[in-house]
Amino acid sequence: MLYAIISEDNPGTLEQRMAARPDHLARLETLRDAGKLLVAGPHPAIDSEDPGPAGFTGSLVIAEFESLSQAQSWADQDPYIKAGVYRQVMVKPYKKVLP
């Protein structure tokens, strides 16, 4: 089943986000390579593809996992949590209706 992982950043953590980004992306690439990643990306803090120093307010990952608990466990291991970037992470079942 698909699950949405909705994360909210702590304010002022752009530097920590950028430092942890390679490890964060490596995990997403593993999901993608396994054919389990639907979409992933950050939420810019301003209305721009490149928010510059304004940074980001969080992230969204929609991916396939065997269960809600497996999705939560995967989300709990995100390098952005260890780096102090994420303030809150919510994992919810997701139903794709349209491509």
Side-chain angles (χ1 to χ4, degrees), residues 35-46:
K36 296 184 180 274
L37 182 65
L38 182 64
V39 66
H43 301 286
I46 60 174

Side-chain angles (χ1 to χ4, degrees), residues 1 4 10 18 24 37 43 50 62 80 85-86 92 95 99:
M1 180 166 182
N10 283 305
M18 298 316 290
H24 172 80
L37 182 65
H43 301 286
D50 180 4
I62 301 176
Y80 284 169
V85 175
Y86 286 158
K92 301 167 80 169
K95 181 178 176 178

Side-chain angles (χ1 to χ4, degrees), residues 1-3 5 65-77 91-93:
M1 180 166 182
L2 291 173
Y3 295 89
I5 301 169
F65 294 93
E66 290 183 21
S67 66
L68 178 59
S69 62
Q70 186 187 57
Q72 185 68 59
S73 178
W74 185 90
D76 290 344
Q77 301 302 312
V91 181
K92 301 167 80 169

